[in-house]
């Protein structure tokens, strides 16, 4: 198999450990989130340089609204600031920004920043950066099922026609291929409601490193491990 074949087309990352990184240093949790933005730049650079075409980053789950208001507010500020500051550079690099998750729960201001970043970077050919914001798989699936049920009730679709493709096409991720590799930092070994449908045959990698310490070498280590895996998709080889 050529080297290119062993590069995952789509890498998805659960960026975990910002709070612990800050606590270890006697800092506030939000300082861990700020440090995490630098890791996003590094991961994006590494992904683009290695020929990965889709990078999904889990930045805020629907469950994260349950954190103290000060932390949620700090995260919203950071999303706005980062998206505005980074868009020109992403545009220059040919990175297209897309979003998955229920954006209707965000403030008007956050929604406008997201929409503008998506419009400005549309058509970028180097890599598609997919931000999972106010995302959870169960919420995404529930929204998709409501839409499919609405179409069935309106007579646009017969229940017997509903296939895996119908469901996949109703998810936020419809335009993108399934992830090949899911990385979760900080040593936790769980999916926390992330891409449950889409990651059915993804390879998983759980490094101990906390997200703000995640380096290009860590990204390369994940790719090396991926290249060694034998993906069988239920078949015999
Ligand atoms: C991940 O880091 C970032 C978000 C969930 C927004 P955490 O904030 O979960 O960091 P830990 O897990 O508490 O260390
Ligand atoms: C998952 O991390 C969500 C994001 C990284 C955005 P959490 O820190 O929220 O997950 P749990 O609570 O450890 O499962
Ligand atoms: Mg966490």
């Amino acid at each position: 198999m050529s080297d290119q074949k062993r590069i995952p087309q789509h890498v998805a990352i659960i960026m975990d450990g910002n709070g612990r990184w800050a606590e270890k240093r006697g800092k506030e949790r939000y300082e861990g989130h700020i440090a995490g933005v630098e890791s996003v730049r590094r991961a994006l650079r590494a992904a683009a340089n290695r020929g990965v075409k889709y990078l999904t980053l889990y930045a805020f789950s629907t469950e994260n609204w349950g954190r103290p208001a000060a932390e949620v507010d700090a995260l919203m500020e950071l999303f706005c600031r980062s998206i505005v500051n980074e868009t020109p550079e992403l545009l220059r690099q040919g990175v297209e920004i897309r979003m998955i998750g229920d954006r209707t729960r965000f403030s008007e201001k956050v929604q406008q920043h997201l929409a503008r970043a998506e419009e400005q970077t549309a058509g970028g050919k180097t890599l598609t950066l997919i931000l999972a914001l106010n995302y959870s798989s169960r919420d995404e699936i529930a929204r998709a099922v409501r839409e499919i049920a609405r179409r069935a009730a309106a007579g646009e679709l017969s229940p017997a026609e509903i296939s895996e493709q119908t469901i996949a096409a109703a998810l936020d991720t419809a335009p993108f291929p399934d992830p090949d590799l899911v990385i979760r930092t900080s040593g936790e070994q769980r999916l926390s409601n992330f891409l449950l449908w889409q990651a059915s045959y993804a390879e998983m990698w759980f490094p101990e490193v906390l997200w703000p310490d995640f380096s290009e070498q860590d990204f390369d280590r994940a790719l090396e491990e991926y290249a060694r895996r034998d993906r069988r998709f239920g078949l015999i080889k």
Side-chain angles (χ1 to χ4, degrees), residues 6-24:
R6 290 184 171 275
I7 296 285
Q9 183 186 25
H10 184 174
V11 177
I13 308 182
I14 302 171
M15 308 183 289
D16 199 15
N18 295 351
R20 277 163 283 170
W21 182 92
E23 281 155 22
K24 262 181 30 185

Side-chain angles (χ1 to χ4, degrees), residues 14-23 29 32-33 58-61 64 67 71 75 79 184-186 188 190 210-212:
I14 302 171
M15 308 183 289
D16 199 15
N18 295 351
R20 277 163 283 170
W21 182 92
E23 281 155 22
R29 291 180 57 87
H33 299 312
Y58 201 7
F60 194 83
S61 74
N64 290 148
R67 294 190 179 195
E71 183 172 348
L75 281 165
F79 294 148
R184 183 180 187 141
T185 57
S186 87
E188 308 294 352
R190 55 176 171 266
L210 301 174
W211 179 249

Side-chain angles (χ1 to χ4, degrees), residues 97-110:
I97 303 179
R98 303 292 296 268
M99 202 206 125
I100 57 172
D102 181 2
R103 64 176 84 198
T104 61
R105 188 154 172 203
F106 291 116
S107 70
E108 273 299 312
K109 187 179 136 199
V110 174

Side-chain angles (χ1 to χ4, degrees), residues 102-181:
D102 181 2
R103 64 176 84 198
T104 61
R105 188 154 172 203
F106 291 116
S107 70
E108 273 299 312
K109 187 179 136 199
V110 174
Q111 289 191 49
Q112 280 172 11
H113 284 312
L114 290 168
R116 200 167 309 137
E118 283 182 320
E119 277 163 30
Q120 286 177 347
T121 62
K125 292 278 175 280
T126 310
L127 177 148
T128 301
L129 174 65
I130 304 156
L131 300 175
L133 287 170
N134 189 25
Y135 177 86
S136 88
S137 265
R138 289 182 176 185
D139 177 69
E140 178 191 35
I141 291 168
R143 285 185 285 110
V145 169
R146 279 200 293 277
E147 173 57 18
I148 292 168
R150 188 199 59 73
R151 282 162 49 202
E156 296 165 21
L157 181 73
S158 104
E161 280 168 8
I162 297 171
S163 64
E164 291 188 14
Q165 284 71 28
T166 317
I167 296 168
L171 296 173
D172 298 343
T173 51
F176 317 120
D178 285 342
D180 301 295
L181 172 64

Side-chain angles (χ1 to χ4, degrees), residues 24-42:
K24 262 181 30 185
R25 286 165 177 73
K27 297 180 181 210
E28 296 290 337
R29 291 180 57 87
Y30 78 88
E31 297 185 71
H33 299 312
I34 291 173
V37 176
E38 192 51 48
S39 292
V40 170
R41 287 194 198 98
R42 283 194 294 267

